Amino acid sequence: MRQILFVSIVLSFLSCGQKRSPENHAIYKSIASDSALFYYELGWKQIMDEGNYGPAEISYRKALQHDSDFLIGKSVLGRLTLDLTERLDIQKEIEEEKTTITGDERLILDVYLALVDFTNAREQKLPDAKTKLEKAFLLAETNLGKIVHKYPGEIYMKAEYIEFLHSRYGPRNALDSLYALTTPSQRENPFLLGYAASMNAEMDDFETSLRQANHLKEVIGTQVPKPYAVLADIYFQMDSLEPAKTNAERANRLDPRNLDASRLLEKIGTALKKDSL
């Protein structure tokens, strides 16, 4: 059974041009179900590569249906759910059970738990929310840095690590790290293609960013939100508000839960109102 499901997981990622390695699965020693692992991996593909936040939440919930004790799966759901009460419950459950997780898996769990803690503090408007965010980012840089060097095939950990580096050090340093840490084939990963495009736009290299965004559309297709959310971000940074709006709306139609698109639509709406005054 494990062998059959493992092959299914590999094939699902190969179909999107992203090779997976057995070493990735060595991280999650606590997982007790092949089906849970399948849906957990599927959720990452949906949220990172496709920008499908809604379907990803369904996948993470299915993972927990197959293994309700998979704490990292719970932590990812906690980062994604919009229900504060559920998120608070998830945080409490993980805090109570986290000592059962050790090794590399614990490094990841601690980061994700810190992010859930911050999200809860922010939503409750607690005064220490900013401190919790700084703590989470520092922990992510340290822990995920260890993971991406030990598991060079773990593309989604690399993607998150690059995001944290970008938040702390800006686009130039994050881009340098992206190219240093990834192979040419890994750079074809849809999330990394889109993120590199956005960071190049942030540095005003719009020619490169648009080329990367259009290549992303070729890689991932036109039936998922990701390429349109990336294009919307680039056009917004170019101050081209109408094409930014068009692309953000298309991403939003494909998945109303896509946070990148919804946040951009708010920013675009505000900018358009200012222009009309």
Side-chain angles (χ1 to χ4, degrees):
M1 180 66 172
R2 175 174 291 275
Q3 184 177 11
I4 293 172
L5 281 169
F6 177 77
V7 171
S8 297
I9 292 168
V10 172
L11 289 176
S12 73
F13 283 93
L14 285 175
S15 67
C16 288
Q18 180 58 55
K19 294 183 179 180
R20 305 294 286 164
S21 168
E23 71 179 9
N24 306 311
H25 303 201
I27 300 175
Y28 308 113
K29 296 185 182 300
S30 71
I31 198 165
S33 165
D34 295 307
S35 295
L37 178 61
F38 172 81
Y39 284 112
Y40 177 74
E41 292 277 5
L42 178 60
W44 276 112
K45 172 179 173 290
Q46 289 168 321
I47 198 168
M48 299 292 274
D49 292 352
E50 300 173 358
N52 275 321
Y53 285 60
E57 181 176 342
I58 293 171
S59 292
Y60 293 129
R61 292 189 186 280
K62 286 182 178 179
L64 292 174
Q65 287 174 5
H66 290 283
D67 185 353
S68 61
D69 296 323
F70 182 39
L71 294 187
I72 285 187
K74 281 187 181 179
S75 70
V76 178
L77 178 61
R79 295 174 62 189
L80 191 58
T81 180
L82 300 179
D83 186 332
L84 174 60
T85 300
E86 180 181 37
R87 199 184 311 114
L88 286 167
D89 288 341
I90 286 173
Q91 182 181 347
K92 181 181 178 182
E93 290 171 12
I94 296 174
E95 290 281 7
E96 291 173 349
E97 300 294 332
K98 65 183 181 181
T99 56
T100 64
I101 305 301
T102 59
D104 297 329
E105 189 172 6
R106 178 63 183 272
L107 293 177
I108 299 170
L109 180 64
D110 285 346
V111 173
Y112 291 177
L113 178 58
L115 291 168
V116 172
D117 184 27
F118 158 69
T119 303
N120 286 335
R122 180 188 60 188
E123 193 161 335
Q124 294 175 97
K125 296 181 170 54
L126 299 182
D128 61 345
K130 184 176 180 181
T131 301
K132 289 179 181 293
L133 178 62
E134 292 171 353
K135 176 185 174 183
F137 275 25
L138 181 60
L139 189 65
E141 182 180 356
T142 301
N143 288 12
L144 296 187
K146 293 176 182 178
I147 294 295
V148 301
H149 286 94
K150 185 173 181 179
Y151 301 91
E154 183 33 81
I155 193 66
Y156 296 124
M157 291 297 106
K158 284 187 180 181
E160 289 219 293
Y161 182 56
I162 296 300
E163 284 188 283
F164 287 115
L165 292 181
H166 175 229
S167 296
R168 286 178 62 80
Y169 303 111
R172 180 71 274 160
N173 287 332
L175 269 174
D176 288 345
S177 295
L178 189 158
Y179 286 105
L181 288 170
T182 57
T183 64
S185 63
Q186 287 178 333
R187 289 170 210 148
E188 292 291 294
N189 169 264
F191 176 85
L192 290 178
L193 271 175
Y195 205 64
S198 292
M199 289 192 290
N200 276 310
E202 193 176 337
M203 295 187 295
D204 295 331
D205 186 355
F206 298 120
E207 181 180 353
T208 298
S209 64
L210 285 172
R211 183 173 66 250
Q212 289 173 321
N214 285 317
H215 180 51
L216 168 63
K217 190 184 291 187
E218 295 173 357
V219 169
I220 197 67
T222 59
Q223 300 305 309
V224 295
K226 174 64 74 174
Y228 304 107
V230 171
L231 281 167
D233 178 52
I234 293 169
Y235 283 122
F236 182 74
Q237 294 190 66
M238 293 171 65
D239 201 29
S240 299
L241 298 181
E242 288 302 333
K245 182 182 178 183
T246 298
N247 280 283
E249 288 176 339
R250 184 158 186 181
N252 184 258
R253 284 196 299 272
L254 287 166
D255 180 16
R257 285 285 310 279
N258 184 286
L259 293 179
D260 299 320
S262 58
R263 289 169 181 165
L264 275 168
L265 283 171
E266 290 183 11
K267 293 179 181 179
I268 294 165
T270 300
L272 287 170
K273 286 180 181 178
K274 288 182 180 179
D275 286 352
S276 66
L277 294 178

